[in-house]
Amino acid sequence: MRVDLSLWADFPLYLCCWIFPASMLLGRAVGAQPPRNWIDGALLLWGAVAVGCLLLRRLPRAEERRLFLRTALCFGLCGLVAFRFAWPVGLPGFNSVAWAMELKPLLYVLAAVGGMAAFGVPSAARFRKCGAGLALLVLAEFCVTWFLTGQVERPVGSGEINYDGMLMVICLCFGLGREHRGFLRLMALGILVTFSRTSVLAATGVLICFGPYGVVRKVCLLFLGLAGVWLSFQVRGLLGALEALDRFWMWHTAGEFVLSAPWQAVAGFWPGSELPFGVPAPLSFLWSAQARQWGLAGVHPFNLHAFWLRMGATWGLIAAGLLAAGLLAAVLAAGAAGWLLCVPSRGMGRAGRALRALCLLCLVGGLTMGLVYCNNLGVVLISAFFAARRFSLREPRFRGRYLQMSLNVIQEDYAR
């Protein structure tokens, strides 16, 4: 009997799109709210099991060499990243909590790569179905709340509805074909009722640039997206309240620092070190609450929330600028997108839109959200880029062939 372990490739999608938000909704309903960070433990455990399975493999020599080279390359790159994180440990002003906050993307990359090497890359169809399931969950909460209170209220979802909206945008990138319009409309409606400005703008940009629509419909989508952003301000009571736009003030504070100390901004700061930022009045309450929660003093990169701000603070403006330029080039040119993930030009057809749409999502979403720093977005977003590459090549679902071959050999030995 063959043991198919490729189903475990979809575990992060099921966990982040279905299990995690459903558990948080159920916890709120019964008055026993679980901690949000339990999903971190589940994802890291999944990655650790995957890496352990790879270490216990029995493979033909050619497959073993290829796996060794790929694994060595991945862990070599991660080692370079880890060196930057290990260097400041023990230096004056070092804070272990702030340091661990910036280490999260590295752990998510290791978990995602290990899981995909062992179990396989999730299929594009799985992204569509999980995104549609999350949209149904958010729409159900919105309708039930509306029915019970008689008012239009913002859903809560997993506790961070902005992240749920961005999850649906990630899944929407795999439903841009004409044959997937049902999934696309359902996810678009789910994104709209999250009242997340960033998610609505990202989804609008993806649909206008890569959606299966004509010019007239794309113009209508533009006005619909702008109306969704206005509705978000209206429902959340933020119209005319500039002091309530925390992301604006974070960018404003970072911009003031860049103008005052450009060379330091270019080099970045060691992970775990305090940022010499002033605290504007609109952010004083938010940052003070976060400081009390984590027992920290001062401003650290995780206080900035946005991916581009955090990356610029940790890696410097040059690294952040190069990454942004690469993503923008991939959005503007199919050839650049193919070069970015080693996809030949013949594979950049309809499915290549998924790859470019993900790049656009990172550019827009990173302005206000942490993306790979977020516990229910990081692993899914990393997996999405690998899935988009295989989707672009029109390959069948990539199964965890290394572990599968190993199990088959073990079973054959046992049978004999």
Side-chain angles (χ1 to χ4, degrees):
M1 180 181 66
R2 292 175 60 89
V3 180
D4 186 6
L5 296 178
S6 61
L7 294 177
W8 283 99
D10 304 323
F11 175 76
L13 276 173
Y14 291 135
L15 178 66
C16 297
C17 293
W18 293 354
I19 300 174
F20 182 57
S23 69
M24 302 301 285
L25 283 171
L26 182 61
R28 286 193 298 271
V30 300
Q33 185 74 7
R36 278 188 57 84
N37 57 1
W38 74 262
I39 190 175
D40 289 314
L43 288 171
L44 294 179
L45 179 61
W46 172 78
V49 170
V51 173
C53 291
L54 287 173
L55 295 176
L56 295 176
R57 72 195 185 284
R58 293 178 60 185
L59 302 173
R61 185 159 299 182
E63 291 287 348
E64 189 171 337
R65 284 197 299 269
R66 283 196 291 267
L67 179 60
F68 174 79
L69 290 175
R70 294 172 183 174
T71 306
L73 177 61
C74 174
F75 280 86
L77 294 175
C78 292
L80 292 176
V81 176
F83 174 76
R84 179 170 177 82
F85 280 87
W87 183 264
V89 175
L91 294 178
F94 172 78
N95 187 283
S96 59
V97 175
W99 176 81
M101 291 286 191
E102 302 309 304
L103 190 65
K104 288 173 65 175
L106 176 62
L107 299 178
Y108 293 151
V109 167
L110 291 176
V113 171
M116 287 184 289
F119 306 131
V121 179
S123 64
R126 196 65 65 197
F127 276 92
R128 290 191 294 270
K129 291 178 181 178
C130 287
L134 179 58
L136 287 174
L137 192 65
V138 171
L139 286 168
E141 182 189 358
F142 173 76
C143 293
V144 169
T145 304
W146 191 5
F147 176 77
L148 294 178
T149 63
Q151 298 178 349
V152 176
E153 295 184 4
R154 194 183 188 200
V156 181
S158 66
E160 286 286 353
I161 192 63
N162 292 326
Y163 299 167
D164 296 336
M166 193 55 65
L167 264 177
M168 285 185 275
V169 181
I170 293 173
C171 298
L172 181 140
C173 294
F174 293 92
L176 298 174
R178 294 183 180 275
E179 65 274 22
H180 306 308
R181 285 186 174 180
F183 287 105
L184 190 148
R185 291 166 182 165
L186 179 59
M187 286 185 280
L189 185 59
I191 294 166
L192 190 62
V193 302
T194 63
F195 301 108
S196 169
R197 300 175 299 245
T198 307
S199 299
V200 171
L201 285 175
T204 302
V206 166
L207 291 176
I208 290 176
C209 294
F210 308 110
Y213 303 111
V215 176
V216 175
R217 290 191 178 184
K218 289 186 176 182
V219 172
C220 294
L221 279 173
L222 175 61
F223 285 104
L224 182 62
L226 294 176
V229 173
W230 176 86
L231 188 61
S232 173
F233 280 101
Q234 182 70 30
V235 171
R236 298 163 68 178
L238 299 178
L239 281 177
L242 185 61
E243 66 278 0
L245 302 178
D246 52 4
R247 302 306 195 276
F248 166 79
W249 290 106
M250 291 174 188
W251 279 93
H252 178 74
T253 303
E256 287 184 338
F257 174 78
V258 171
L259 293 177
S260 62
W263 291 110
Q264 181 64 62
V266 169
F269 296 88
W270 290 111
S273 59
E274 183 180 343
L275 304 179
F277 284 10
V279 181
L283 294 176
S284 59
F285 177 78
L286 173 63
W287 283 357
S288 297
Q290 291 177 338
R292 288 193 302 270
Q293 179 183 1
W294 297 105
L296 299 175
V299 181
H300 295 84
F302 72 87
N303 293 119
L304 299 177
H305 294 191
F307 168 77
W308 294 114
L309 290 179
R310 294 182 71 169
M311 184 176 182
T314 304
W315 297 96
L317 294 182
I318 293 179
L322 289 175
L323 178 59
L327 293 175
L328 181 61
V331 172
L332 297 177
W339 177 84
L340 185 65
L341 287 183
C342 304
V343 177
S345 56
R346 67 176 183 277
M348 295 301 297
R350 67 179 183 96
R353 293 196 296 263
L355 189 65
R356 299 168 68 189
L358 287 171
C359 295
L360 178 61
L361 177 150
C362 291
L363 286 171
V364 177
L367 296 175
T368 62
M369 293 188 193
L371 298 181
V372 293
Y373 290 92
C374 302
N375 51 12
N376 60 334
L377 284 177
V379 173
V380 174
L381 182 58
I382 295 165
S383 302
F385 273 97
F386 283 87
R389 179 181 183 273
R390 294 198 171 275
F391 189 31
S392 298
L393 290 173
R394 291 175 171 79
E395 292 180 356
R397 176 190 177 93
F398 174 67
R399 301 185 179 276
R401 62 175 181 271
Y402 304 120
L403 186 57
Q404 187 67 59
M405 290 173 60
S406 177
L407 286 175
N408 292 340
V409 171
I410 294 174
Q411 289 173 356
E412 290 173 2
D413 292 344
Y414 179 78
R416 287 197 294 266

